[in-house]
Amino acid sequence: MFGRNESTPLESSIKMVEKLLKDWNLDPDKLKDKKKNLWYLTQGSASFHIELFKNDKGKNHGVVDCIEVGGMIMKLPEDNILPLYRKLLELNSTSVGIYFAVRGNLVMILSTRECEGMDENELKIMVDELRFFADYWDDILMKEFGGTK
């Protein structure tokens, strides 16, 4: 059949991630977690990841393949939590395609979407935006609010 893609969104996404990393002269196998579809990278002072995973959207939508590009900004500081949260929410209101979140004791910057319909250019934009802003905001937010890596 014309133009029919027999691979799953997850398989296509794995190939796109590996191609992107190779285009950057990086070895995907050296960056990949051995047990998951998860690659660890750095940009300046920021560490970030690309992860492909299954997400159960409930009985009406089922399980879908998803991607997350995420960067660790800092550990939550002991003080100034409410001003930090306010700043993160204000930053979220001005961002396109990325958002700040708290996971456990970490401030993260994330970009997520379903893999279905994603193309190589969209993946590159997700990763480029995330790695730039993770490296940009980590130092600024740590200095302003006293967080650490």
Side-chain angles (χ1 to χ4, degrees):
M1 293 182 207
F2 297 108
R4 186 165 181 193
N5 183 353
E6 295 297 329
S7 63
T8 67
L10 181 63
E11 292 166 336
S12 296
S13 297
I14 290 170
K15 290 176 185 174
M16 283 191 282
V17 169
E18 290 175 346
K19 181 183 181 312
L20 177 66
L21 297 176
K22 287 176 184 174
D23 288 349
W24 290 341
N25 295 316
L26 298 172
D27 183 348
D29 293 330
K30 289 183 179 177
L31 303 171
K32 190 173 187 297
D33 185 289
K34 302 300 181 210
K35 297 179 182 176
K36 300 177 184 178
N37 291 313
L38 174 61
W39 297 262
Y40 296 100
L41 301 105
T42 58
Q43 173 77 29
S45 60
S47 60
F48 70 100
H49 67 269
I50 303 169
E51 182 174 18
L52 301 169
F53 60 96
K54 303 273 186 192
N55 183 36
D56 188 347
K57 293 182 75 174
K59 67 179 183 174
N60 291 333
H61 300 283
V63 176
V64 297
D65 296 322
C66 296
I67 183 169
E68 173 182 278
V69 184
M72 198 270 274
I73 299 295
M74 65 183 189
K75 293 179 183 172
L76 282 173
E78 292 185 26
D79 300 315
N80 297 322
I81 295 291
L82 290 179
L84 171 62
Y85 287 168
R86 181 181 180 95
K87 177 74 170 191
L88 297 176
L89 287 171
E90 288 170 352
L91 290 171
N92 282 347
S93 74
T94 63
S95 300
V96 175
I98 58 171
Y99 58 95
F100 290 88
V102 174
R103 285 191 178 157
N105 71 334
L106 300 177
V107 176
M108 304 284 297
I109 186 169
L110 303 167
S111 181
T112 57
R113 65 162 282 170
E114 291 182 23
C115 292
E116 182 73 38
M118 182 174 64
D119 64 28
E120 290 179 17
N121 191 52
E122 289 174 292
L123 173 63
K124 185 177 183 318
I125 290 169
M126 280 180 77
V127 176
D128 280 343
E129 290 284 300
L130 192 289
R131 68 187 186 143
F132 171 80
F133 285 111
D135 187 38
Y136 179 81
W137 283 111
D138 64 344
D139 297 325
I140 292 170
L141 292 172
M142 282 191 294
K143 183 177 179 183
E144 186 173 345
F145 295 101
T148 61
K149 287 281 182 173

Coordinates of all heavy atoms in Angstrom, one line a residue, residues 55-105:
N55 N 2.2 5.1 27.8 CA 1.4 5.8 28.8 C 0.0 5.3 28.6 O -0.6 5.3 27.5 CB 1.4 7.3 28.5 CG 0.6 8.1 29.5 OD1 0.6 7.8 30.7 ND2 0.0 9.2 29.0
D56 N -0.6 4.9 29.7 CA -2.0 4.4 29.7 C -3.0 5.6 29.9 O -3.0 6.2 31.0 CB -2.2 3.4 30.8 CG -3.6 2.7 30.8 OD1 -4.5 3.2 30.0 OD2 -3.7 1.7 31.5
K57 N -3.7 5.9 28.8 CA -4.6 7.0 28.9 C -6.0 6.6 29.2 O -7.0 7.4 29.1 CB -4.6 7.7 27.5 CG -3.3 8.4 27.2 CD -3.3 9.1 25.9 CE -4.0 10.4 26.0 NZ -4.0 11.2 24.8
G58 N -6.2 5.4 29.7 CA -7.5 5.0 30.2 C -8.2 4.2 29.2 O -7.8 4.0 28.0
K59 N -9.4 3.7 29.6 CA -10.1 2.7 28.7 C -10.6 3.3 27.4 O -10.8 2.6 26.4 CB -11.3 2.1 29.5 CG -12.4 3.1 29.8 CD -13.5 2.4 30.6 CE -14.7 3.4 30.8 NZ -15.8 2.7 31.4
N60 N -10.8 4.6 27.3 CA -11.3 5.2 26.1 C -10.2 5.4 25.0 O -10.4 5.5 23.9 CB -12.0 6.6 26.3 CG -13.3 6.4 27.0 OD1 -13.9 5.4 26.9 ND2 -13.7 7.4 27.8
H61 N -8.9 5.5 25.5 CA -7.8 5.8 24.6 C -6.7 4.7 24.6 O -6.0 4.7 23.7 CB -7.2 7.2 25.0 CG -8.1 8.3 24.9 ND1 -8.5 8.8 23.7 CD2 -8.8 9.0 25.8 CE1 -9.4 9.8 23.9 NE2 -9.6 9.9 25.2
G62 N -6.7 3.9 25.6 CA -5.7 2.8 25.7 C -4.3 3.3 26.0 O -4.0 4.4 26.4
V63 N -3.3 2.4 25.7 CA -1.9 2.7 25.9 C -1.3 3.3 24.6 O -1.5 2.8 23.5 CB -1.2 1.4 26.3 CG1 0.3 1.6 26.4 CG2 -1.8 0.8 27.6
V64 N -0.6 4.4 24.8 CA 0.0 5.1 23.7 C 1.5 5.2 23.9 O 2.0 5.3 25.1 CB -0.6 6.5 23.4 CG1 -2.1 6.3 23.0 CG2 -0.5 7.4 24.6
D65 N 2.3 5.3 22.8 CA 3.7 5.5 22.9 C 4.0 7.0 23.0 O 3.3 7.8 22.4 CB 4.4 5.0 21.6 CG 4.3 3.5 21.4 OD1 4.4 2.8 22.5 OD2 4.1 3.1 20.3
C66 N 4.9 7.4 24.0 CA 5.1 8.8 24.3 C 6.6 9.1 24.3 O 7.4 8.1 24.5 CB 4.5 9.2 25.6 SG 2.7 9.1 25.6
I67 N 7.0 10.3 24.2 CA 8.3 10.8 24.4 C 8.4 11.9 25.4 O 7.5 12.7 25.5 CB 8.9 11.3 23.0 CG1 10.4 11.6 23.2 CG2 8.1 12.4 22.4 CD1 11.1 11.9 21.9
E68 N 9.5 11.9 26.2 CA 9.8 13.0 27.1 C 11.2 13.4 26.9 O 12.1 12.5 26.8 CB 9.6 12.5 28.5 CG 10.0 13.6 29.5 CD 9.9 13.2 31.0 OE1 8.7 13.3 31.5 OE2 10.9 12.7 31.5
V69 N 11.4 14.7 26.7 CA 12.8 15.2 26.8 C 12.8 16.0 28.1 O 11.9 16.9 28.2 CB 13.1 16.1 25.5 CG1 14.5 16.6 25.6 CG2 12.8 15.3 24.3
G70 N 13.7 15.7 29.0 CA 13.7 16.4 30.3 C 15.0 16.7 30.8 O 16.0 16.0 30.5
G71 N 15.1 17.9 31.4 CA 16.4 18.3 32.0 C 16.2 18.6 33.5 O 15.2 19.1 33.9
M72 N 17.2 18.3 34.3 CA 17.2 18.6 35.7 C 17.8 20.0 35.9 O 18.9 20.2 35.4 CB 18.1 17.5 36.4 CG 17.8 17.5 37.9 SD 18.8 18.6 38.9 CE 20.3 17.7 39.2
I73 N 17.0 20.8 36.5 CA 17.4 22.2 36.7 C 18.2 22.3 38.0 O 19.3 22.8 38.1 CB 16.2 23.2 36.7 CG1 15.5 23.1 35.4 CG2 16.6 24.6 37.1 CD1 16.3 23.7 34.2
M74 N 17.6 21.8 39.1 CA 18.3 21.8 40.4 C 17.4 21.0 41.4 O 16.3 20.7 41.2 CB 18.4 23.3 40.9 CG 17.0 23.9 41.1 SD 17.3 25.7 41.6 CE 15.7 26.1 42.1
K75 N 18.1 20.8 42.5 CA 17.3 20.2 43.7 C 16.6 21.4 44.3 O 17.0 22.5 44.3 CB 18.3 19.6 44.7 CG 19.0 18.4 44.2 CD 20.0 17.9 45.3 CE 20.7 16.7 44.7 NZ 21.8 16.3 45.6
L76 N 15.4 21.1 44.9 CA 14.6 22.1 45.5 C 15.4 22.7 46.7 O 16.0 21.9 47.5 CB 13.3 21.5 46.1 CG 12.2 21.3 45.1 CD1 11.0 20.6 45.7 CD2 11.7 22.6 44.5
P77 N 15.4 24.0 46.8 CA 16.1 24.6 48.0 C 15.3 24.4 49.2 O 14.1 24.1 49.2 CB 16.2 26.1 47.6 CG 15.0 26.3 46.7 CD 14.8 25.0 45.9
E78 N 15.9 24.6 50.4 CA 15.2 24.4 51.7 C 14.3 25.6 51.9 O 13.3 25.5 52.6 CB 16.2 24.2 52.8 CG 16.9 22.9 52.7 CD 17.8 22.6 53.9 OE1 17.6 23.2 55.0 OE2 18.8 21.8 53.7
D79 N 14.7 26.8 51.4 CA 13.9 28.0 51.6 C 13.5 28.6 50.3 O 13.9 28.1 49.3 CB 14.8 29.1 52.3 CG 15.3 28.6 53.7 OD1 14.5 28.0 54.5 OD2 16.5 28.8 54.0
N80 N 12.6 29.6 50.4 CA 12.1 30.3 49.2 C 11.3 29.4 48.2 O 11.3 29.6 47.0 CB 13.2 30.9 48.4 CG 13.9 32.0 49.2 OD1 13.3 32.7 49.9 ND2 15.3 32.1 49.1
I81 N 10.6 28.4 48.7 CA 9.9 27.4 47.9 C 8.7 28.2 47.2 O 8.6 28.0 46.0 CB 9.3 26.2 48.7 CG1 10.5 25.4 49.2 CG2 8.4 25.4 47.9 CD1 11.3 24.7 48.2
L82 N 7.9 28.9 47.9 CA 6.8 29.6 47.3 C 7.2 30.6 46.2 O 6.6 30.6 45.1 CB 5.8 30.2 48.3 CG 5.1 29.2 49.1 CD1 4.2 30.0 50.2 CD2 4.2 28.3 48.3
P83 N 8.2 31.4 46.4 CA 8.7 32.3 45.4 C 9.2 31.5 44.2 O 9.0 31.9 43.0 CB 9.8 33.2 46.0 CG 9.4 33.1 47.5 CD 8.8 31.8 47.7
L84 N 9.9 30.4 44.4 CA 10.4 29.6 43.3 C 9.2 29.0 42.5 O 9.2 29.1 41.3 CB 11.2 28.4 43.8 CG 11.6 27.4 42.8 CD1 12.5 28.0 41.7 CD2 12.4 26.2 43.5
Y85 N 8.2 28.5 43.2 CA 7.0 28.0 42.5 C 6.3 29.0 41.7 O 5.9 28.8 40.5 CB 6.0 27.4 43.5 CG 6.4 26.0 44.1 CD1 5.7 25.5 45.2 CD2 7.5 25.3 43.6 CE1 6.1 24.3 45.8 CE2 7.8 24.1 44.2 CZ 7.1 23.6 45.2 OH 7.4 22.4 45.8
R86 N 6.2 30.2 42.2 CA 5.6 31.3 41.5 C 6.4 31.6 40.2 O 5.9 31.8 39.1 CB 5.5 32.6 42.3 CG 4.9 33.7 41.6 CD 4.8 35.0 42.4 NE 4.2 36.0 41.6 CZ 2.9 36.3 41.7 NH1 2.0 35.7 42.4 NH2 2.4 37.3 40.9
K87 N 7.8 31.7 40.4 CA 8.6 31.9 39.2 C 8.5 30.9 38.1 O 8.4 31.2 36.9 CB 10.1 32.0 39.7 CG 11.1 32.2 38.6 CD 11.0 33.6 38.0 CE 12.2 33.9 37.1 NZ 12.3 35.3 36.8
L88 N 8.4 29.6 38.6 CA 8.2 28.5 37.6 C 6.9 28.6 36.9 O 6.8 28.4 35.6 CB 8.4 27.1 38.3 CG 9.7 26.8 38.9 CD1 9.7 25.5 39.7 CD2 10.8 26.9 37.9
L89 N 5.8 28.9 37.6 CA 4.5 29.1 36.9 C 4.5 30.3 36.0 O 4.0 30.2 34.9 CB 3.4 29.3 38.0 CG 3.0 28.0 38.7 CD1 2.1 28.4 39.9 CD2 2.4 27.0 37.8
E90 N 5.2 31.4 36.4 CA 5.3 32.5 35.4 C 6.1 32.1 34.2 O 5.7 32.5 33.1 CB 6.0 33.7 36.1 CG 5.1 34.3 37.2 CD 5.8 35.4 38.1 OE1 7.0 35.5 38.0 OE2 5.1 36.1 38.8
L91 N 7.2 31.4 34.4 CA 8.0 30.9 33.2 C 7.1 30.0 32.3 O 7.2 30.1 31.1 CB 9.2 30.2 33.7 CG 10.3 31.1 34.3 CD1 11.4 30.3 34.9 CD2 10.8 32.1 33.3
N92 N 6.3 29.1 32.9 CA 5.4 28.3 32.1 C 4.5 29.1 31.3 O 4.1 28.7 30.2 CB 4.6 27.3 33.1 CG 5.5 26.2 33.5 OD1 6.6 25.9 33.0 ND2 5.0 25.5 34.5
S93 N 4.0 30.2 31.8 CA 3.0 31.0 31.0 C 3.6 31.7 29.8 O 2.9 32.2 29.0 CB 2.4 32.0 32.0 OG 3.2 33.1 32.3
T94 N 5.0 31.7 29.7 CA 5.6 32.4 28.6 C 6.3 31.4 27.7 O 7.0 31.8 26.7 CB 6.7 33.4 29.1 OG1 7.7 32.7 29.8 CG2 6.0 34.5 30.0
S95 N 6.3 30.1 28.0 CA 7.0 29.1 27.3 C 6.1 28.4 26.2 O 4.9 28.4 26.4 CB 7.5 28.0 28.2 OG 8.3 28.5 29.2
V96 N 6.8 28.0 25.2 CA 6.1 27.2 24.1 C 6.8 25.9 24.0 O 8.0 25.8 23.7 CB 6.1 28.0 22.8 CG1 5.5 27.1 21.7 CG2 5.4 29.3 22.9
G97 N 6.0 24.8 24.2 CA 6.6 23.5 24.0 C 7.4 22.9 25.2 O 7.8 21.7 25.1
I98 N 7.7 23.7 26.2 CA 8.4 23.2 27.4 C 7.7 23.7 28.6 O 6.9 24.7 28.5 CB 9.9 23.7 27.4 CG1 10.0 25.2 27.4 CG2 10.7 23.1 26.3 CD1 11.3 25.8 27.6
Y99 N 7.9 23.0 29.7 CA 7.3 23.5 31.0 C 8.2 23.0 32.1 O 8.9 22.1 32.0 CB 5.9 22.9 31.1 CG 5.7 21.4 31.1 CD1 5.7 20.7 32.2 CD2 5.6 20.8 29.9 CE1 5.6 19.3 32.2 CE2 5.5 19.4 29.8 CZ 5.5 18.7 31.0 OH 5.4 17.3 31.0
F100 N 8.1 23.7 33.2 CA 8.8 23.4 34.4 C 7.9 22.5 35.3 O 6.6 22.7 35.3 CB 9.2 24.7 35.2 CG 10.3 25.4 34.5 CD1 10.0 26.4 33.6 CD2 11.6 25.2 34.8 CE1 11.0 27.1 32.9 CE2 12.6 25.9 34.1 CZ 12.3 26.8 33.2
A101 N 8.5 21.6 36.1 CA 7.7 20.7 36.9 C 8.6 20.4 38.1 O 9.8 20.5 38.1 CB 7.3 19.5 36.2
V102 N 8.0 19.8 39.2 CA 8.7 19.3 40.3 C 8.5 17.8 40.4 O 7.3 17.4 40.3 CB 8.3 20.0 41.6 CG1 8.9 19.4 42.8 CG2 8.6 21.5 41.5
R103 N 9.6 17.1 40.4 CA 9.5 15.6 40.6 C 10.3 15.3 41.8 O 11.5 15.4 41.8 CB 10.1 14.9 39.4 CG 9.2 14.9 38.2 CD 9.6 13.9 37.2 NE 8.7 13.9 36.0 CZ 9.0 13.6 34.8 NH1 10.2 13.1 34.6 NH2 8.1 13.6 33.9
G104 N 9.6 14.8 42.9 CA 10.3 14.5 44.1 C 10.9 15.8 44.6 O 10.2 16.8 44.9
N105 N 12.3 15.8 44.8 CA 12.9 17.0 45.3 C 13.7 17.7 44.1 O 14.6 18.5 44.4 CB 13.9 16.7 46.4 CG 15.1 15.9 45.9 OD1 15.1 15.2 44.9 ND2 16.2 16.0 46.7

